[in-house]
Amino acid sequence: MSEDLVTFGDVAVDFSQEEWEQLNSAQRGLYRDVMLENYRSLVSLAGVSVSKPDVISLLEQGKEPWVVKKEGTRGTYSGS
């Protein structure tokens, strides 16, 4: 059985500033909730070895996520 590497980037959705501006407040709230839940799920699987992506820090602070570059810090989980 081989192990697959799962990164936060595999489950993250990135928006450009233009795309973000097209979302209404309910859609932005849903995005925030889903992204934070995805991160929490990854942490629960990988434990403390997952570093917090910049986008998660921004969302936790109520800031807009589009300012984070797609290549930013990503947590990883290696599982089967």
Side-chain angles (χ1 to χ4, degrees):
M1 185 185 314
S2 67
E3 291 188 6
D4 295 324
L5 183 64
V6 177
T7 68
F8 181 75
D10 293 333
V11 296
V13 176
D14 297 316
F15 288 105
S16 68
Q17 181 178 0
E18 182 180 344
E19 292 168 329
W20 182 256
E21 290 172 355
Q22 297 297 314
L23 300 178
N24 64 38
S25 61
Q27 291 168 321
R28 290 178 184 189
L30 178 60
Y31 171 83
R32 179 187 177 279
D33 293 345
V34 169
M35 290 289 281
L36 292 174
E37 182 62 29
N38 285 347
Y39 175 71
R40 289 182 194 116
S41 295
L42 186 62
V43 168
S44 73
L45 293 171
V48 294
S49 65
V50 176
S51 60
K52 185 181 286 190
D54 293 338
V55 68
I56 295 300
S57 296
L58 290 171
L59 290 171
E60 288 174 338
Q61 296 170 31
K63 296 181 180 177
E64 295 181 340
W66 55 263
V67 297
V68 176
K69 293 180 182 177
K70 189 171 184 173
E71 298 81 27
T73 305
R74 298 181 187 258
T76 60
Y77 166 69
S78 178
S80 50

